[in-house]
Amino acid sequence: MSTNPMHQFNVYRIGPEISFGNVDISFTNASLFMMISAFIIISVFFAGTKRKAIIPTKIQLLTELSYTLISKMISDTAGSKAKPYFPFVFSLFMFVLFCNMLGMLPYSFTVTSHIIVTFALAAVIFVGVTIIGFVHHGVGYLKLFIPSGVPLFLLPLIVIIEIISYLSRPVSLSVRLFANMMAGHTMLKVFGGFVISLGIIGGWLPLSFAVALTGLEILIAFLQAYVFAILTCIYLNDALNLNH
Amino acid sequence: MVRNYLKFIGFFTLLSGECFGAEGGMPQLNPEYWVSQIFWVILIFGTLYIILWRIILPKINANLENRNSQILTDLDDAQKFKDQSEEKLSEYNNILNQAKQEAKKILDGTRKKVNRDIENKKNQFNLEISKEIENAEKEIKTLKLSSIKDINKIAIETSSEIVRKIVGTEVNSSSVSAIVEDTSKKEITKYI
């Protein structure tokens, strides 16, 4: 069974069955790896902020660099109004990044390779951004669907397209991350399987591919976390500044 | 776009179902643990968010601002010290120039005074010398005059003696003296 490339995505229960009413919310391996990621993030950042040196230590430098990276990203894309949402974007980036990176370890589980997880995050973002938009602009937020300078007879069509594209934001956001993660891990597994089946003579070629792919996957793990965060910033920018 | 994604997912489902049929397609599309995953992701991400938001990010922010303000104050201090040192340097130069000028003034003053003193001393000396010379000349004159009287006396005595010896008679001393005085008056102008 271990040669099945999809086997690594199986979710199974760890420990006792927990139900809320008649809904099953048992602790699974996915929950375990989410916890590990969150734990690693918190420990790294606690270690990095323990001593407040003027000349930063290495781990302190890491935390400060990630802080400035996200803070620059959010101020560049969404302006100064988005500052209150900085902690959210920062946690989002860190969570996705560490889940992606943790998935690169052999025998680990990639939390972000599950559509339901990424969709839950994307749905939170989508609902949050929509609420922020309506709070800041009231009904005027609907102007987002009416681009300026469009001929009147095209307007109904454009509005429909805009609404569809707005509603598909959480889908595209979640599917982008999920599909990238799943495809990469499946591919790695397939090449790994080839190494076994081709044996010591022919296995070197897929092995070198797997090594190269691992490098690529690490890049993608970072890139997808970055894209996830920057798209959140762009959506926030739409909601806050309404300059379509 | 959405349809494309759905197609993609469907294709993968089919693919995995056909090729690796044993486990029945993508585990991602098995809704058995969906609620559990949603529950746990929201719980864990929410906890992470609150810890980062409330505890960690303010610390990093405070530290970054602390460093920025530290750097700014350090730069300010450096500028202040630079200004101060420049001020001190110009002050020092001023003092040096003043001292130089004063020294020059003192030197000039002293030189003038010394010259004046020398001049005074010289004049005084010259005056004294000329006085001395005058005195000496006077003395010489009196001496000469007194010596003329003595010479006259000696001349009278000698001439009267000579006359007595030659003639053998006493000579009237008054007539001798009259003759001597007369001659000496005639001749004295040669010596005085």
Side-chain angles (χ1 to χ4, degrees):
Chain A
M1 264 311 100
S2 61
T3 49
N4 182 347
M6 305 312 274
H7 178 75
Q8 56 176 322
F9 301 119
N10 274 348
V11 179
Y12 48 86
R13 196 176 69 236
I14 299 174
E17 193 170 321
I18 308 166
S19 314
F20 194 79
N22 55 356
V23 189
D24 186 12
I25 49 164
S26 308
F27 193 77
T28 61
N29 55 344
S31 329
L32 176 69
F33 276 91
M34 286 172 204
M35 269 195 170
I36 292 172
S37 308
F39 180 73
I40 291 173
I41 296 167
I42 289 167
S43 2
V44 164
F45 277 84
F46 261 112
T49 51
K50 206 166 65 181
R51 288 198 299 127
K52 292 179 176 174
I54 288 294
I55 298 162
T57 54
K58 275 175 190 163
I59 196 151
Q60 190 187 347
L61 191 67
L62 195 72
T63 61
E64 281 169 8
L65 281 179
S66 54
Y67 185 98
T68 32
L69 174 77
I70 305 299
S71 125
K72 197 168 153 38
M73 175 170 88
I74 196 164
S75 64
D76 281 354
T77 47
S80 57
K81 269 194 213 164
K83 213 159 184 212
Y85 311 107
F86 167 69
F88 180 79
V89 178
F90 187 82
S91 336
L92 197 67
F93 174 74
M94 282 298 149
F95 186 67
V96 174
L97 178 68
F98 274 75
C99 286
N100 290 354
M101 286 297 185
L102 208 62
M104 290 311 296
L105 293 175
Y107 294 105
S108 66
F109 179 85
T110 319
V111 178
T112 44
S113 70
H114 274 252
I115 179 76
I116 194 68
V117 173
T118 58
F119 189 78
L121 291 175
V124 168
I125 293 162
F126 177 75
V127 173
V129 162
T130 311
I131 290 170
I132 289 164
F134 277 112
V135 165
H136 274 256
H137 304 285
V139 189
Y141 186 51
L142 292 175
K143 270 188 266 174
L144 187 70
F145 302 125
I146 308 166
S148 55
V150 175
L152 204 64
F153 64 92
L154 272 177
L155 209 56
L157 189 65
I158 295 289
V159 165
I160 289 166
I161 290 171
E162 287 287 337
I163 289 172
I164 290 173
S165 92
Y166 187 80
L167 293 177
S168 68
R169 274 175 178 185
V171 179
S172 72
L173 195 60
S174 57
V175 169
R176 179 180 298 111
L177 180 57
F178 142 75
N180 268 291
M181 286 300 115
M182 189 192 66
H185 284 78
T186 312
M187 202 120 87
L188 273 176
K189 186 75 180 184
V190 167
F191 276 102
F194 282 158
V195 175
I196 302 296
S197 59
L198 290 178
I200 194 133
I201 301 154
W204 296 102
L205 193 66
L207 181 65
S208 56
F209 263 113
V211 170
L213 273 177
T214 307
L216 184 70
E217 279 308 306
I218 287 171
L219 176 72
I220 287 175
F222 176 80
L223 203 68
Q224 286 306 319
Y226 191 79
V227 166
F228 204 82
I230 208 161
L231 281 172
T232 309
C233 289
I234 289 167
Y235 298 159
L236 263 176
N237 181 40
D238 277 350
L240 292 169
N241 300 320
L242 203 64
N243 45 6
H244 198 72
Chain B
M1 196 158 50
V2 187
R3 270 184 64 189
N4 274 344
Y5 279 125
L6 288 177
K7 261 190 209 162
F8 170 75
I9 292 166
F11 169 72
F12 251 83
T13 320
L14 268 178
L15 184 81
S16 53
E18 301 257 313
C19 302
F20 317 100
E23 289 197 23
M26 286 164 68
Q28 283 93 335
L29 297 180
N30 176 10
E32 190 186 349
Y33 288 112
W34 275 12
V35 180
S36 152
Q37 274 179 308
I38 292 172
F39 170 77
W40 285 104
V41 79
I42 286 171
L43 181 73
I44 291 167
F45 179 71
T47 316
L48 177 72
Y49 169 58
I50 286 166
I51 289 174
L52 285 178
W53 173 37
R54 282 285 169 205
I55 300 170
I56 287 165
L57 292 178
K59 271 190 194 169
I60 300 179
N61 190 33
N63 198 25
L64 283 174
E65 273 178 11
N66 189 23
R67 178 177 307 138
N68 272 347
S69 64
Q70 176 84 47
I71 287 170
L72 283 182
T73 49
D74 280 0
L75 281 178
D76 269 8
D77 282 356
Q79 187 62 38
K80 217 181 284 167
F81 285 139
K82 201 183 160 199
D83 288 353
Q84 270 179 10
S85 66
E86 270 169 9
E87 213 170 277
K88 279 264 155 36
L89 189 70
S90 67
E91 217 169 275
Y92 165 80
N93 278 337
N94 274 351
I95 289 172
L96 203 68
N97 280 340
Q98 266 178 16
K100 269 182 187 167
Q101 274 173 2
E102 235 161 81
K104 210 178 175 188
K105 219 183 272 172
I106 289 170
L107 200 67
D108 282 356
T110 325
R111 190 178 284 152
K112 260 181 207 160
K113 202 179 157 200
V114 167
N115 281 346
R116 208 161 49 224
D117 279 0
I118 289 173
E119 199 78 8
N120 281 350
K121 281 264 160 70
K122 224 187 201 172
N123 287 346
Q124 219 173 331
F125 191 63
N126 282 347
L127 221 69
E128 264 169 39
I129 283 179
S130 56
K131 223 179 261 175
E132 292 264 318
I133 288 172
E134 229 167 77
N135 283 351
E137 273 175 357
K138 259 181 205 162
E139 222 166 283
I140 289 170
K141 226 175 214 172
T142 48
L143 268 179
K144 266 182 182 168
L145 286 177
S146 66
S147 68
I148 284 167
K149 268 175 197 164
D150 285 351
I151 287 169
N152 279 356
K153 209 189 270 175
I154 292 165
I156 291 165
E157 270 168 27
T158 344
S159 2
S160 56
E161 195 67 20
I162 288 166
V163 168
R164 203 171 49 92
K165 282 273 166 86
I166 294 168
V167 182
T169 54
E170 279 299 315
V171 188
N172 191 358
S173 61
S174 58
S175 59
V176 172
S177 68
I179 294 163
V180 167
E181 294 221 341
D182 196 41
T183 3
S184 79
K185 260 178 199 166
K186 269 182 202 164
E187 298 294 318
I188 202 88
T189 47
K190 278 183 197 170
Y191 305 104
I192 296 170

